[in-house]
Amino acid sequence: EHRYSWTSSTQSTGWAYLKLMGPGALRLATQVAILNANYMAKRLENHYPIMFRNDNGWCAHEFILDTRHFPGTNIGVLDIAKTITRLRFPRPHDQLAGSKHSDGGTY
């Protein structure tokens, strides 16, 4: 069993990070995290089940792929993560702005 320990160094690092960012940057970082998570969840939803969305189909700052539908195969979570990384998803703001780097899809 793994237990997380919140040492004083862990707490002070988090506190320092938040203080150094300031409220404006913290808000922006939160918004970008939510945008990124929902963008990737939308791109992957036709290939993997996405767990724990709200009633409108949105997730928070992260999303969880359900990988249980691969029983009896040698496909693991790391294989999926490597594939997603290898596919080099375009950044959400490129996709939304219609940049020449986007793949032309609409979401």
Side-chain angles (χ1 to χ4, degrees), residues 17-66:
Y17 178 76
L18 294 175
K19 290 303 268 184
L20 288 171
M21 284 188 76
L26 183 58
R27 176 181 290 275
L28 178 61
T30 301
Q31 291 169 335
V32 169
I34 293 169
L35 176 66
N36 285 336
N38 281 284
Y39 168 78
M40 287 195 63
K42 185 69 176 171
R43 292 287 308 266
L44 294 169
E45 71 184 1
N46 292 329
H47 307 285
Y48 306 100
I50 309 294
M51 300 178 70
F52 308 116
R53 290 183 171 183
N54 70 12
D55 293 339
N56 296 322
W58 296 95
C59 57
H61 64 285
E62 62 185 13
F63 64 96
I64 300 172
L65 297 175
D66 184 0

Side-chain angles (χ1 to χ4, degrees), residues 2 6-7 18 20 24 29 31 33 39 42 73 77 85:
H2 179 74
W6 292 95
T7 64
L18 294 175
L20 288 171
Q31 291 169 335
Y39 168 78
K42 185 69 176 171
T73 68
V77 174
T85 302

